[in-house]
Amino acid sequence: MLIAIALMYFQYSKMNNISTSLFALCGIAALLTGSATFGQDIVKYVQPMAGTATATTSSALKHGSVQARYANTIPAVTAPFGMTQWTPQTQATESKCVPPYYYKDDMLSGLRGSHWLSGSCTQDYGSFTIMPITGNLKTTNYAAKFDHDDEISSPDLYQVNIKPYQVTAAVTATERCGMMQFTMNKSDSLYLLITPNSDYHEGFIKVDEKRGEIYGYNPGHRIYQGWGKSAGFSGFFVIRFDRGLVRRGTFAGDKIFKTDSIKNGTNMGAYIGFKLNKGEKLTIRIGTSFTGFDGARKNLQAEMPSFNFEQTAVANKAIWQKALSQIKVESANERDKTIFYTAYYHAMQQPRLFNDVDGRYPRFSSSYQTEQLASGNYYDDFSMWDIYRAEIPMFEILNPTFVNNLVQSLILKGKQGGWMPIFPCWNSYTSEMIGDHTTSVISSAYLKGIRNYNVAEAYQLLKHNAFDIPASHADYVEGKGRRALDSYLKYNYIPVEDSVLDAFHKMEQVSRTMEYAYDDFALAQFAKGLQKNADYTTLIKRAGYYKNVFDTQSGFVRGKHSNSSWSTPFDPDKKETYITEGTARQYTFYVPHDVPGLYKLMGGSNKMERALDSLFSKGEYWHGNEPGHQIPFMYNYTPSPWKTQAAVRKILAAEYSDGPGGLGGNDDAGQMSAWYMFAAMGFYPVNPVSGEYLLCSPIFDHVAISLKDGKIFNVACHKTSKNAQYIHLVKWNGKPMLNSFIRYSDIMNGGKLDIYLQDTASKSWANKPAYQSKGITK
């Protein structure tokens, strides 16, 4: 049977040119063998419920708001980086910062086809929900009480026994489609209520008896720049049933209609009813698209041509098995493996696949226009302020072709909109957060040899953002261009007088200055690679502008007026308007591209070590927010790299767990999770564009990463005791390695990194500048 299933899916993928992330030969191999590449059932380690409850870590309680204490993940059934996630719904809204599911809730209102940005505080969009009820038809107050003991949750399948209705609901998925199955636990009438989830009371749904379909759409809306305006596309869905449509109609609130369609109403939807016996199953297939109903139908035909729920679930599990098996971790500690593979799953939620199987996708920042891809895939929902740090760098190692697709998608956005987007979500400009980190992602890809796109075009778009200001104020308000670039260029920092009104994050002038300096460094390296020497000279000078907001007397970055005087009063541990979501003490360490330059300002590497000690001893390190994610690794630039090893181990233990509250803050599209993955394996990209990864002590005995061309990067951990955590020796391919970092090129060529740990701190390992990352390239 498994061989037949595998061959069937191979034929469908071949006939319909379906992407290999869905019907890869590796997935077929997993089906045939019943195991993953390394002979383990890895999917069992994933806990999709992790992050659905509030965090209880000390840093979250001290530094985070109530909202920030939620990881805001959902128990998503999907394919890696899929178009749509399928989740139980306990919150019937698309409001900002309200995910579809909270673990604390006990009332279920359906299974949702969701475009929630995993782990974010943004919004869902283009979503719809299907709720099964039994007995008499009702269209209000139908949510049912449920218990977590009645749920099964994994990446490939979610199932819940809805006891009040005596029906069991299950969902599985492909990249663009979902399949639901409803099993009757009694003989009764079964109704499905299908609702577009528009908080704007928009949308459309139709019951088409001739086609045997229910189809509809939910228009997307922007937030941040252009808040509330149309996003220029909708979430479209087409539902097909394994039997004829019997009792059917539409509704709005408690009003039930015999009409076959309804549009733009409050709490509106369609219903379909069947008379079923105990044990009987109803199966439905759902195609989704951002281009239209035809796109949804094509996706459904290509990815999910039959109603076989079990085969679809088996195929989806094989996909996850193969994807997760690219990294094998060995440890006697099963809990650590659970946390790791759950993090891996979370890191593969976004960016989101946005094109149909035929390559059509909605044109960026437009109004219901479509474009056609020549090759590859188009992605959106880049939580860019977060994921440039570790999540995308992780996939530069694991899947350079995927990262090339991401870069090509960003270039298309820049071409179609005229400016490279800062934080592209819901296929629109947003200018959410600060910085211009698309520059980091594309520059990093170029520097790592990921270049299957128009390199010159990419550079010009990034240069446009870095040097030019929109001639039209309307374009600036729309979200095009860097915020406050005029001040940055005029003063060589952004003074506190510039309150950056045309942005969701207003003010935050010091943090903006520092993040633009990093982006300028990234673009400088791109310019250098293209031999654009004049641009390089200008940009590398601007990469030092962070120095202009550093107060050498206090030893911290600080708000600065346009007359060069410092903002007063000043408390480095108090949240200030000129710092983004944090304090001056925390943001002082955001100089990932020039740590030696930072410690020179502080008075030397010993002084920076003491400053780091002070931050940790005062409890001011906040892991739940991204600007500090590089901080624990910065001891690797001091005479005491062993303190990185101690700090990282402490964070791994304190900020991550294997329960529903398993993350210490917003996961932000996988950044928190990718940090865990890197740190647990023993290396981390403090400066993502540098191609250097700073070492720490792995928590696993052995890590094996399968790379392209059959190469494998191994990390072997040798301990003098069970609790040993301090590095005293490192070998690369059997030879002693003195450096406290490893390079991208070494990793990608494959090889073995042996890390030897002891119980006490080694005061001599990599404690000299000669063995430490050099930081900025002059």
Side-chain angles (χ1 to χ4, degrees), residues 395-417:
F395 288 94
E396 287 179 325
I397 295 171
L398 297 175
N399 194 341
T401 300
F402 169 66
V403 172
N404 196 93
N405 269 287
L406 299 184
V407 171
Q408 182 60 51
S409 299
L410 293 168
I411 294 169
L412 288 171
K413 297 176 198 298
K415 288 174 61 180
Q416 292 166 11

Side-chain angles (χ1 to χ4, degrees), residues 319-333:
I319 292 163
W320 279 107
Q321 192 84 322
K322 179 60 183 181
L324 296 167
S325 295
Q326 191 173 353
I327 304 178
K328 177 192 176 184
V329 297
E330 294 180 4
S331 173
N333 189 323

Side-chain angles (χ1 to χ4, degrees), residues 376-655:
N377 284 320
Y378 176 80
Y379 292 88
D380 196 62
D381 284 352
F382 290 77
S383 189
M384 197 64 84
W385 188 72
D386 311 289
I387 63 175
Y388 86 91
R389 304 167 196 266
E391 193 255 5
I392 291 181
M394 177 65 71
F395 288 94
E396 287 179 325
I397 295 171
L398 297 175
N399 194 341
T401 300
F402 169 66
V403 172
N404 196 93
N405 269 287
L406 299 184
V407 171
Q408 182 60 51
S409 299
L410 293 168
I411 294 169
L412 288 171
K413 297 176 198 298
K415 288 174 61 180
Q416 292 166 11
W419 293 81
M420 191 62 82
I422 302 294
F423 190 101
C425 285
W426 34 100
N427 212 35
S428 302
Y429 288 101
T430 66
S431 289
E432 164 59 339
M433 303 310 298
I434 62 172
D436 184 13
H437 300 318
T438 300
T439 299
S440 175
V441 168
I442 296 179
S443 298
S444 179
Y446 169 80
L447 293 167
K448 292 178 174 66
I450 303 171
R451 303 178 183 178
N452 188 22
Y453 47 84
N454 189 323
V455 170
E457 195 170 57
Y459 179 78
Q460 287 303 316
L461 285 165
L462 296 178
K463 181 181 176 181
H464 188 36
N465 268 34
F467 285 88
D468 301 329
I469 298 167
S472 164
H473 183 65
D475 280 349
Y476 183 72
V477 172
E478 180 74 2
K480 299 178 179 182
R482 291 187 182 184
R483 308 293 90 178
L485 181 62
D486 51 351
S487 289
Y488 180 75
L489 297 179
K490 178 179 179 180
Y491 297 100
N492 301 341
Y493 64 94
I494 302 174
V496 293
E497 283 79 7
D498 189 340
S499 56
V500 201
L501 295 178
D502 290 312
F504 179 73
H505 279 252
K506 307 180 191 308
M507 304 183 186
E508 304 179 14
Q509 300 90 337
V510 169
S511 297
R512 284 183 201 278
T513 298
M514 300 178 78
E515 299 210 16
Y516 285 161
Y518 166 74
D519 293 321
D520 287 339
F521 166 80
L523 190 55
Q525 307 313 306
F526 199 165
K528 185 177 182 180
L530 296 177
Q531 297 183 337
K532 295 184 179 295
N533 298 328
D535 287 353
Y536 172 80
T537 299
T538 298
L539 288 162
I540 206 67
K541 180 180 179 182
R542 284 166 49 172
Y545 282 2
Y546 72 90
K547 298 174 184 177
N548 298 328
V549 291
F550 186 91
D551 175 18
T552 54
Q553 185 171 352
S554 68
F556 300 101
V557 295
R558 187 171 172 183
K560 197 173 190 179
H561 293 285
S562 58
N563 64 5
S564 296
S565 64
W566 296 110
S567 177
T568 57
F570 176 67
D571 182 341
D573 297 321
K574 181 181 178 182
K575 291 184 179 180
E576 296 284 359
T577 59
Y578 51 75
I579 298 292
T580 299
E581 299 178 0
T583 66
R585 186 185 300 276
Q586 293 161 352
Y587 239 100
T588 291
F589 296 100
Y590 183 81
V591 190
H593 59 293
D594 188 18
V595 179
L598 175 63
Y599 68 59
K600 187 177 292 185
L601 287 175
M602 290 181 164
S605 60
N606 288 289
K607 290 284 186 67
M608 187 176 77
E609 180 182 343
R610 289 197 287 274
L612 288 165
D613 289 344
S614 179
L615 178 139
F616 284 105
S617 66
K618 289 176 176 289
E620 290 298 314
Y621 177 70
W622 180 18
H623 191 66
N625 208 22
E626 280 71 17
H629 275 189
Q630 79 284 351
I631 290 176
F633 296 91
M634 292 176 71
Y635 281 115
N636 274 6
Y637 294 90
T638 76
S640 302
W642 64 268
K643 291 184 179 179
T644 279
Q645 299 145 36
V648 170
R649 279 295 186 91
K650 185 176 180 180
I651 294 165
L652 288 169
E655 298 294 334

Side-chain angles (χ1 to χ4, degrees), residues 3 125 171 224 234 261 308 444 673:
I3 294 174
Y125 65 89
V171 62
Y224 307 124
S234 296
S261 67
N308 194 312
S444 179
S673 292

